[in-house]
């Protein structure tokens, strides 16, 4: 398997630091207000947690192939390793973005089963009432003023503690919202299938593997997924592998051979054929597309 440590994410952090309105601490914490989406083209695999507080307008896209829609006022959270695709952004869109490195996330020492992060996978967008939005904006103002006090040696500690309070406050609403929404059996199966797919798609592409994992027959799994989503389980598997390939092509400096190895294809030419069949162009042409 490719040594993931040698893979560089494209250096979009330096782009952020060049923007005028970005406050940041080292490479670990960024906060800024922007009228557009992040400076990249998707699909993009992030190595940071991104919180987007939508102040006006709306935007749509997919996180790990599951559609999401954010309309102001609302907050969305994308976790490291998730694949983000943007599809639409209204002309009046405006949001505050908070980006946190995995090192920063770890330093928060939030309990492992902390409800916020558990719920985000199922429910990445939360609508906010004015009181919640005010609390978030207060947090943003406090963090920005701490970061700007450059002579304070404890800035990172203070931002850390403010962020812990922010997540505990948010966690309550995430949990409440998740409890309020009841999923059907088919929706739960679909979610569990996608979760297994997210974990195993690099090694396993056979329907039988996923059916076994979910203790179902392959036929039942395939039929239920088709009824729920209009696509067969096999199409979902191909699409997920394809999404990962596109994200690695666009958001890392890995060679096509390394990506082929990472996704466990028997050879680069086999990977190239698979990619071309689904995307209509070669991996190299896709990477060079602007």
């Amino acid at each position: 398997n490719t040594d993931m440590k040698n893979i560089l994410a494209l250096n979009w952090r330096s782009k952020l630091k060049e923007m005028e309105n970005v406050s940041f601490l080292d490479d670990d914490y960024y906060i800024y207000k922007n009228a557009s989406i992040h400076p990249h083209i998707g699909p993009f695999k992030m190595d940071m947690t991104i919180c987007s507080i939508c102040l006006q307008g709306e935007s749509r896209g997919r996180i790990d192939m599951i559609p999401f829609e954010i309309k102001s006022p609302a907050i969305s959270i994308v976790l490291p390793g998730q694949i983000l695709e943007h599809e639409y952004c209204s002309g009046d869109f405006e949001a505050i973005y908070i980006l946190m490195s995995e090192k920063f996330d770890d330093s928060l020492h939030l309990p492992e089963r902390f409800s916020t992060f558990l719920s985000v996978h199922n429910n990445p967008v939360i609508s906010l009432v004015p009181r919640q939005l005010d609390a978030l904006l207060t947090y943003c103002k406090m963090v920005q003023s701490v970061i700007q006090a450059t002579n304070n040696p404890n800035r990172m500690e203070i931002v850390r503690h403010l962020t812990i309070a922010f997540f505990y406050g948010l966690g309550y609403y995430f949990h409440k919202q998740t409890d309020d929404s009841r999923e059907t059996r088919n929706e739960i199966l679909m979610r569990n299938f996608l979760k297994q797919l997210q974990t195993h798609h690099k090694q396993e592409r056979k329907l039988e593997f996923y059916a076994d994992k979910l203790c179902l027959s392959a036929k039942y799994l395939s039929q239920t997924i088709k009824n729920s989503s209009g696509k067969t389980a096999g199409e979902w598997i191909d699409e997920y592998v394809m999404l990962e390939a596109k994200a690695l092509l666009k958001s890392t400096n890995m060679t096509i051979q390394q990506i082929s190895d990472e996704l466990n294809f028997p050879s680069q030419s086999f990977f190239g054929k698979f990619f071309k069949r689904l995307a209509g162009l070669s991996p190299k042409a896709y990477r060079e597309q602007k």
Side-chain angles (χ1 to χ4, degrees), residues 202-220:
K202 289 180 186 176
Q203 285 76 32
E204 298 290 345
R205 311 221 226 285
K206 289 195 169 68
L207 178 60
E208 290 71 23
F209 171 85
Y210 294 99
D212 283 350
K213 277 275 179 201
L214 298 166
C215 306
L216 300 167
S217 75
K219 190 178 173 190
Y220 178 79

Side-chain angles (χ1 to χ4, degrees), residues 13-280:
R13 282 181 176 81
S14 61
K15 284 199 185 90
L16 281 178
K17 287 177 179 176
E18 286 161 14
M19 285 163 54
E20 278 171 29
N21 59 341
V22 178
S23 304
F24 61 90
L25 284 173
D26 303 329
D27 273 341
D28 293 313
Y29 187 100
Y30 298 78
I31 182 167
Y32 63 101
K33 191 174 182 176
N34 207 6
S36 68
I37 301 297
H38 324 290
H40 64 70
I41 42 175
F44 204 81
K45 192 166 194 168
M46 299 305 297
D47 57 353
M48 296 184 96
T49 297
I50 308 177
C51 303
S52 313
I53 304 166
C54 179
L55 304 175
Q56 62 178 44
E58 60 184 283
S59 116
R60 286 194 302 274
R62 301 196 305 169
I63 297 169
D64 283 342
M65 292 177 61
I66 298 170
F68 74 90
E69 184 171 38
I70 181 166
K71 283 184 182 174
S72 68
I75 181 169
S76 73
I77 298 184
V78 181
L79 300 177
Q82 291 190 309
I83 298 175
L84 183 61
E85 299 168 274
H86 277 293
E87 285 162 3
Y88 166 78
C89 190
S90 64
D92 60 344
F93 184 80
E94 190 174 63
I96 294 173
Y97 294 108
I98 301 162
L99 286 76
M100 295 173 280
S101 71
E102 294 191 70
K103 181 179 146 195
F104 183 84
D105 288 346
D106 291 345
S107 78
L108 301 176
H109 298 301
L110 295 171
E112 198 177 3
R113 293 191 58 72
F114 193 59
S115 57
T116 308
F117 285 98
L118 267 183
S119 309
V120 163
H121 274 287
N122 314 337
N123 190 11
V125 177
I126 282 197
S127 295
L128 301 168
V129 298
R131 195 180 71 245
Q132 293 161 345
L133 180 63
D134 286 347
L136 288 181
L137 293 177
T138 302
Y139 161 79
C140 294
K141 279 199 192 90
M142 287 166 80
V143 165
Q144 280 173 311
S145 66
V146 169
I147 292 174
Q148 279 149 21
T150 49
N151 55 350
N152 184 338
N154 303 314
R155 291 186 304 160
M156 187 63 92
E157 266 311 274
I158 299 167
V159 169
R160 218 165 57 73
H161 285 289
L162 287 171
T163 306
I164 290 167
F166 161 77
F167 273 119
Y168 271 103
L170 204 55
Y172 167 74
Y173 295 116
F174 264 101
H175 212 54
K176 195 167 176 311
Q177 191 149 323
T178 311
D179 288 346
D180 291 347
S181 62
R182 294 274 170 264
E183 289 180 295
T184 67
R185 272 180 65 182
N186 283 3
E187 283 170 342
I188 292 166
L189 175 61
M190 183 75 197
R191 182 159 55 75
N192 288 340
F193 168 64
L194 287 176
K195 209 175 275 177
Q196 291 294 342
L197 190 50
Q198 189 182 13
T199 309
H200 300 288
H201 67 278
K202 289 180 186 176
Q203 285 76 32
E204 298 290 345
R205 311 221 226 285
K206 289 195 169 68
L207 178 60
E208 290 71 23
F209 171 85
Y210 294 99
D212 283 350
K213 277 275 179 201
L214 298 166
C215 306
L216 300 167
S217 75
K219 190 178 173 190
Y220 178 79
L221 175 64
S222 196
Q223 198 55 57
T224 310
I225 297 297
K226 175 91 177 165
N227 293 346
S228 292
S229 67
K231 277 191 281 203
T232 66
E235 286 170 328
W236 277 103
I237 294 167
D238 278 356
E239 208 171 309
Y240 210 102
V241 173
M242 194 65 185
L243 183 65
E244 178 85 23
K246 285 178 170 177
L248 292 173
L249 286 164
K250 287 286 191 193
S251 50
T252 76
N253 68 338
M254 288 169 80
T255 65
I256 291 166
Q257 179 65 63
Q258 284 174 320
I259 294 170
S260 170
D261 292 345
E262 178 62 28
L263 297 175
N264 279 299
F265 279 91
S267 69
Q268 186 179 328
S269 95
F270 200 91
F271 169 60
K273 284 180 187 136
F274 169 84
F275 194 96
K276 191 158 188 183
R277 175 168 64 82
L278 290 172

